[in-house]
Amino acid sequence: MPPTIASPSMPAASKNAGWQQRSRRHVWHPCTQSIRLEAVPPLPIARGEGVWLFDHDGRRYLDATSSWWVNLFGHAHPAINAALKDQLDTLSHVMLAGCTHAPAVELAERLAALTGHALGHCFYASDGASAVEIALKMSFHAWRNAGRSGKQNFVALRQGYHGETLGALHVTDVPVFRDAYAPLLANAHLVASPDARAAGPGEDAAAVSRRAAAELEALLAERHASIAAVIVEPLVQCATGMAMHDPEYLRLVRALCDRYGVHLIADEIAVGCGRTGSFFACEQAGIWPDFLCLSKGISGGYLPLALVMTRDAIYQGFVDDDVARSFLHSHSYTGNALACRAALATLDLFEREDALRRNRTRAERLIGRLRKGLHGMPVDHLRQRGMITAFDVREPGARFAERFHLAARANGLLMRPIGTTVYLMPPYAIGDDDIDRLVDGTLATLEAVAVPGHADEGGRDAALA
């Protein structure tokens, strides 16, 4: 029987209660079973500051998941706020079809420079799933323009996630999101995930990567003539439970794509912008894809923005008088000036604060505190890649993620486990004291949800620094 924890329902005098009632009445909440909204009312957030979110009653919650992985430098950051206020007085939006503007141009230039101009052109969109669909369409269209229209299929990793619009679901392998819509979807080829947790006796993460790459190689050897691209989430498959893999896998996939004439799409929507320890996750493997998708953190968590970066040679394949050879995909808010300005201010913060270097120290403190606190607890596979840290809970009991989420609220944390995986992905603004609060609150939450008593031995550790 689950333990008693603080009720998520607010007393009648609570300022939160009215917002919860109104939200339940009219808002269709994402990634939520509507029938559970009475038992788990949405948490009304009034404001944010740094790593903290505040409800209408003044209670604060450490944003341990960066508000679904989007916030990088904290809420209400003065530098990003100032940039947006300045942009509001200049230009809020203009269509990017037939027009251009400074924030869109400067952002594309700076991102290209960060790839050493390996990826020289940038196509803007509004959200991550749209970016994935753009990359898939571009790949197919590029092959068609090159006279290879038979290359119509895609390869994705098992348990991979790339979004929930129909095109993105085509290459997503998370049943809870995909199965209901399977009749509407084409089937991508699925190959083994290089998840380091799959290591057998005597195997390390690199060995798992080689084994997974061998399965991909067998498929490409047989079907490469009909395959347009392979899509991967570099280093961390987030939505499947923060499944982490060795950079060796990316090196092997890049080589296989080159050998068999297949594009490589890197979905860095969740893992880009420094989350894995380098600005682009692909950097850790020393490779560049043919298409790279960014969203979430690129605007610092302020405004919806997504983009696809690609090689100049691919762009040139669309430069033609024949309109059928052009890429005519569009979104109304493509390259929104406010969103691009927020992204530019975010890139400024990476440089000004030397964020990637500072994050290494933060990550070391976080996993060091967790490793000590979790010793002997019934958890497995404590792992870390950059500012993403996760572990898996053994025998968690029914509705673990929901119970953990509610208990975390009572401990002043905003956390949402993925299945039995607890993950911590705080904003880069987090300091030492708040790291300690985050770890202490996580451990207290584990105790509150009655995770079975301490094991005789510590769980298996698959940390990937």
Side-chain angles (χ1 to χ4, degrees):
M1 179 177 178
T4 300
I5 61 174
S7 170
S9 299
M10 303 298 174
S14 168
K15 296 178 182 178
N16 289 324
W19 288 108
Q20 291 174 327
Q21 183 179 10
R22 290 166 65 181
S23 190
R24 290 197 299 267
R25 185 177 299 137
H26 293 292
V27 178
W28 198 329
H29 289 266
C31 204
T32 300
Q33 283 184 279
S34 299
I35 199 171
R36 299 298 299 167
L37 284 174
E38 289 293 334
V40 192
L43 180 62
I45 298 300
R47 65 182 183 90
E49 181 180 344
V51 300
W52 295 97
L53 296 166
F54 297 82
D55 68 17
H56 289 268
D57 291 328
R59 299 184 186 89
R60 69 176 189 170
Y61 307 85
L62 199 154
D63 190 359
T65 63
S66 293
S67 292
W68 248 351
W69 322 341
V70 300
N71 191 281
L72 295 189
F73 291 98
H75 298 276
H77 194 287
I80 303 178
N81 288 358
L84 285 173
K85 290 172 184 176
D86 177 72
Q87 188 63 42
L88 277 170
D89 290 332
T90 306
L91 176 69
S92 61
H93 180 69
V94 65
M95 64 181 182
L96 213 57
C99 299
T100 194
H101 55 78
V105 173
E106 292 170 4
L107 179 57
E109 289 174 340
R110 289 179 66 174
L111 288 172
L114 287 174
T115 72
H117 298 282
L119 304 176
H121 272 79
C122 181
F123 192 101
Y124 291 107
S126 304
D127 59 81
S130 297
V132 167
E133 298 208 9
I134 287 165
L136 297 175
K137 288 176 64 177
M138 279 182 172
S139 175
F140 162 75
H141 202 159
W143 288 121
R144 191 183 76 164
N145 284 354
R148 303 186 66 181
S149 58
K151 294 175 78 67
Q152 301 177 5
N153 299 323
F154 297 94
V155 181
L157 301 187
R158 293 190 184 98
Q159 295 88 51
Y161 176 90
H162 300 286
E164 295 165 45
T165 55
L166 289 178
L169 275 178
H170 169 57
V171 289
T172 287
D173 184 41
V174 179
V176 70
F177 299 123
R178 179 186 168 93
D179 285 359
Y181 310 102
L184 304 178
L185 305 174
N187 289 317
H189 297 291
L190 296 176
V191 294
S193 165
D195 184 352
R197 294 174 296 181
E203 278 192 315
D204 59 11
V208 177
S209 291
R210 289 189 289 271
R211 177 156 48 85
E215 184 175 319
L216 173 62
E217 181 174 15
L219 174 65
L220 293 180
E222 180 182 355
R223 303 285 187 91
H224 64 90
S226 64
I227 292 173
V230 177
I231 184 168
V232 300
E233 299 163 85
L235 301 183
V236 186
Q237 291 178 273
C238 293
T240 194
M242 302 300 164
M244 300 184 183
H245 60 259
D246 192 273
E248 176 69 4
Y249 184 72
L250 301 177
R251 289 188 284 269
L252 293 171
V253 173
R254 176 72 274 180
L256 289 171
C257 288
D258 290 341
R259 184 186 311 165
Y260 289 103
V262 171
H263 290 145
L264 174 57
I265 301 172
D267 176 354
E268 295 216 12
I269 291 161
V271 300
C273 303
R275 289 290 184 195
T276 65
S278 50
F279 189 85
F280 297 108
C282 285
E283 293 179 73
Q284 295 182 46
I287 63 103
W288 293 111
D290 301 294
F291 303 93
L292 190 149
C293 303
L294 284 180
S295 189
K296 291 191 181 289
I298 188 59
S299 72
Y302 270 68
L303 290 164
L305 179 66
L307 55 93
V308 179
M309 303 182 69
T310 191
R311 297 177 182 272
D312 292 342
I314 289 176
Y315 173 83
Q316 289 300 323
F318 290 87
V319 179
D320 197 280
D321 286 333
D322 184 355
V323 68
R325 294 174 62 87
S326 298
F327 191 69
L328 301 181
H329 188 104
S330 62
H331 293 262
S332 298
Y333 282 92
T334 290
N336 173 259
L338 286 168
C340 289
R341 185 66 184 275
L344 288 168
T346 299
L347 294 184
D348 289 342
L349 288 174
F350 272 100
E351 297 176 5
R352 187 183 313 149
E353 298 187 1
D354 197 6
L356 296 177
R357 181 188 61 79
R358 290 177 58 188
N359 282 353
R360 286 194 288 272
T361 302
R362 296 178 176 118
E364 289 169 3
R365 183 181 186 90
L366 179 56
I367 199 163
R369 286 287 326 275
L370 266 181
R371 183 177 286 115
K372 182 178 179 180
L374 291 172
H375 180 72
M377 291 286 285
V379 302
D380 288 324
H381 301 303
L382 175 62
R383 55 197 181 275
Q384 184 181 79
R385 177 68 67 180
M387 287 294 284
I388 307 172
T389 307
F391 57 87
D392 304 323
V393 177
R394 269 183 259 147
E395 300 180 13
R399 294 193 182 278
F400 168 73
E402 179 181 291
R403 290 186 291 113
F404 190 97
H405 170 69
L406 290 175
R409 285 193 201 177
N411 283 300
L413 305 177
L414 185 59
M415 302 181 75
R416 284 174 63 98
I418 301 172
T420 62
T421 297
V422 175
Y423 72 93
L424 297 80
M425 197 189 295
Y428 305 161
I430 195 166
D432 288 351
D433 290 344
D434 289 336
I435 288 174
D436 293 343
R437 289 187 183 95
L438 174 56
V439 172
D440 292 343
T442 300
L443 298 174
T445 300
L446 277 173
E447 295 284 355
V449 297
V451 168
H454 290 200
D456 293 334
E457 299 179 1
R460 292 167 291 168
D461 192 343
L464 298 171

